Amino acid sequence: MNEHARGAVRVEQGPKRVRCYLAGRLVADTRRPFLVWEIPYYPAYYIPLADVVADLKPVEKVEHSPSRGTARLFDVRVDGAAAESAAKRYPDSPLEELRELVRFDWAAMDEWLEEDEPVYTHPRDPYKRVDILASSRQVRVEVDGVTVADSTRPHILFETGLPPRYYLPLPDVRTELLAPSATQS
């Protein structure tokens, strides 16, 4: 099947931490977002239900997708703020990966973050760009039980097809433990 054909859906887990907010309040925070290409041009984020902190109140509406199945719609509520019909779930989807995920309407949320950087309009397509994002993830490097570096302010390099690489600020590295490697000919 042509992955770019209309109606074809591609699903894969992404490596970035993703958060979304409504009225300045956290709706979801995940380190295991799913990228779902509902259309061929760019993906949508689907968040594991376990990583949603907002209340999802079911509404009477449903939507049907030939490829994803029937979506149940939910109002999103966080601490006095609400977005009507702004979340959907496909609990009986023919695509098993979607069954425990939630898709939030992008425009209904006030802010989306990848790591600690705002994202506008839609998620970035990991196959069409290289990103270096500031993050607040804790990164610790140990060698034989000795902490060589410990940081909560890394920059993370995301490159197509490669695992993420972490770059740490020099003050967060115990440089006295580092030695240049011997050059081999």
Side-chain angles (χ1 to χ4, degrees):
M1 172 166 59
N2 178 355
E3 68 182 274
H4 297 292
R6 182 153 178 77
V9 174
R10 188 171 88 221
V11 179
E12 65 184 60
Q13 191 166 0
K16 297 174 184 173
R17 179 182 183 194
V18 172
R19 288 172 281 171
C20 62
Y21 292 85
L22 175 63
R25 292 165 181 87
L26 184 65
V27 169
D29 182 353
T30 187
R31 291 172 192 241
R32 47 196 184 111
F34 281 78
L35 294 160
V36 180
W37 279 261
E38 301 168 336
I39 61 172
Y41 311 109
Y42 52 82
Y45 276 130
Y46 280 60
I47 309 294
L49 184 58
D51 294 337
V52 175
V53 297
D55 288 327
L56 302 180
K57 301 294 182 191
V59 298
E60 294 298 318
K61 295 187 252 179
V62 295
E63 291 180 0
H64 184 71
S65 161
S67 54
R68 289 167 279 151
T70 299
R72 296 182 186 156
L73 299 180
F74 297 82
D75 290 344
V76 178
R77 296 185 182 163
V78 286
D79 201 18
E84 294 182 11
S85 300
K88 61 177 77 168
R89 291 197 53 223
Y90 295 90
D92 302 315
S93 176
L95 301 171
E96 190 174 333
E97 307 100 300
L98 299 184
R99 293 180 188 162
E100 293 297 319
L101 302 177
V102 179
R103 184 193 192 284
F104 293 99
D105 179 85
W106 190 273
M109 299 298 109
D110 296 337
E111 184 172 37
W112 287 85
L113 298 174
E114 289 179 346
E115 296 299 333
D116 293 341
E117 303 279 334
V119 183
Y120 304 102
T121 312
H122 57 75
R124 298 172 174 131
D125 184 334
Y127 296 102
K128 296 193 171 64
R129 63 185 301 126
V130 173
D131 291 317
I132 300 173
L133 302 176
S135 180
S136 55
R137 289 192 202 201
Q138 181 170 19
V139 176
R140 185 207 230 75
V141 178
E142 290 184 8
V143 177
D144 295 328
V146 175
T147 300
V148 176
D150 193 353
S151 181
T152 56
R153 51 192 183 138
H155 281 78
I156 307 174
L157 171 64
F158 297 94
E159 293 179 283
T160 301
L162 297 174
R165 286 192 287 178
Y166 299 86
Y167 291 84
L168 308 180
L170 205 49
D172 296 348
V173 178
R174 294 181 59 196
T175 55
E176 74 277 7
L177 299 176
L178 303 179
S181 62
T183 324
Q184 295 189 7
S185 21

